[in-house]
Amino acid sequence: LMRDRYGASDKSAVLRFHTQTGGSTLTAQQPLTNVVRVAYQALAAVLGGTQSLHTNGYDEALALPTAQAARLALRTQQVLAYESGVPGTADPLGGSYYVEALTDQMEQGVRHLMDQVAAWGGAARAIERGLFQDAIAQAAYRDQRAVEAGDRVVVGVNRFVDDDAGLHIEAPDYTGLADQQRQRLAESRARRAPEGWQHALDKVRTAAAGTDPLMPRIIDAVRARATVGEISNVLRDVWGTYDAG
């Protein structure tokens, strides 16, 4: 599609992708079951050839992940990398009829959606008309209806339920965390070269207002120690903000 529709080079048409395990599949009920969900999802990502992977903490349906949960999420990746043997071949599921059939089915759906977006006048126009938002809301509604009707089983939620009170996670001191972050931000700003980060932000502004590639300029700004807020403010100044109303 990139080559045929947009004239992209082979280098720019390479599909590099990051995968994160499904946060929407994590349950507050019986949260330790999420360890199994995350492991299977991580395995699916590796089998699918992902170049980058994030594994969720099992307690993220309840709170920010605890140190223990974050460590276990990391260990999940390390077990896959060093004990499973899966990375030993480039495409472990190559030649699988089932996977190829699913891939063909997904491709047909993707092309249909892309044709719809083009008919709507492009992605920006579709967002303005609320078409993407409506599709997401409808999908979430159908999924919730299926769970509540029992048509889709969620272990520990609508089947295999028990009376376990679950995990108790102490809420962190967000005030203290905010103070620490403000101090780190102030120290970072004090150390950076004034002309460097401002010059980098000027280049972000120029790229945002024109047709030059924006991402390299953003990366340069980050390397010059410009903050996410400062970069975002530049983009808001150039593009404005979206008002759903």
Side-chain angles (χ1 to χ4, degrees), residues 30 61 68 81 93 116 188 213:
Q30 302 180 27
Q68 180 191 44
L93 298 181
Q116 279 188 319
S188 177

Side-chain angles (χ1 to χ4, degrees), residues 35-68:
V35 175
V36 182
R37 294 186 176 104
V38 169
Y40 277 126
Q41 292 167 12
L43 175 60
V46 175
L47 291 172
T50 190
Q51 287 90 33
S52 175
L53 177 62
H54 172 87
T55 38
N56 288 83
Y58 65 82
D59 54 2
E60 289 189 38
L62 298 167
L64 292 174
T66 59
Q68 180 191 44

Side-chain angles (χ1 to χ4, degrees), residues 44-216:
V46 175
L47 291 172
T50 190
Q51 287 90 33
S52 175
L53 177 62
H54 172 87
T55 38
N56 288 83
Y58 65 82
D59 54 2
E60 289 189 38
L62 298 167
L64 292 174
T66 59
Q68 180 191 44
R71 187 181 305 110
L72 184 56
L74 174 61
R75 295 291 179 262
T76 301
Q77 294 199 35
Q78 290 166 336
V79 168
L80 284 173
Y82 297 103
E83 296 185 20
S84 70
V86 172
T89 181
D91 187 7
L93 298 181
S96 165
Y97 168 78
Y98 179 61
V99 173
E100 294 299 331
L102 289 177
T103 303
D104 290 342
Q105 180 181 350
M106 179 177 289
E107 180 184 352
Q108 291 174 8
V110 167
R111 288 181 178 274
H112 175 69
L113 287 174
M114 292 183 69
D115 290 340
Q116 279 188 319
V117 171
W120 292 335
R125 180 62 179 148
I127 292 173
E128 292 173 356
R129 296 171 60 185
L131 297 171
F132 291 155
Q133 300 92 315
D134 182 64
I136 293 170
Q138 289 296 324
Y141 176 71
R142 289 193 300 269
D143 184 71
Q144 187 62 32
R145 285 283 302 271
V147 172
E148 293 180 2
D151 297 330
R152 187 171 80 83
V153 174
V154 181
V155 175
V157 175
N158 64 356
R159 194 176 297 182
F160 313 111
V161 180
D162 58 36
D163 297 327
D164 184 8
L167 295 177
H168 175 70
I169 300 176
E170 293 289 341
D173 180 5
Y174 291 110
T175 302
L177 290 173
D179 289 341
Q180 291 177 22
Q181 185 59 27
R182 290 190 187 96
Q183 181 177 351
R184 290 179 59 199
L185 182 60
E187 292 172 353
S188 177
R189 283 174 166 166
R191 290 195 304 266
R192 65 189 183 181
E195 66 283 356
W197 65 271
Q198 188 60 63
H199 182 61
L201 285 180
D202 290 340
K203 288 190 174 181
V204 171
R205 185 182 300 276
T206 300
T211 59
D212 291 340
L214 179 59
M215 186 54 67

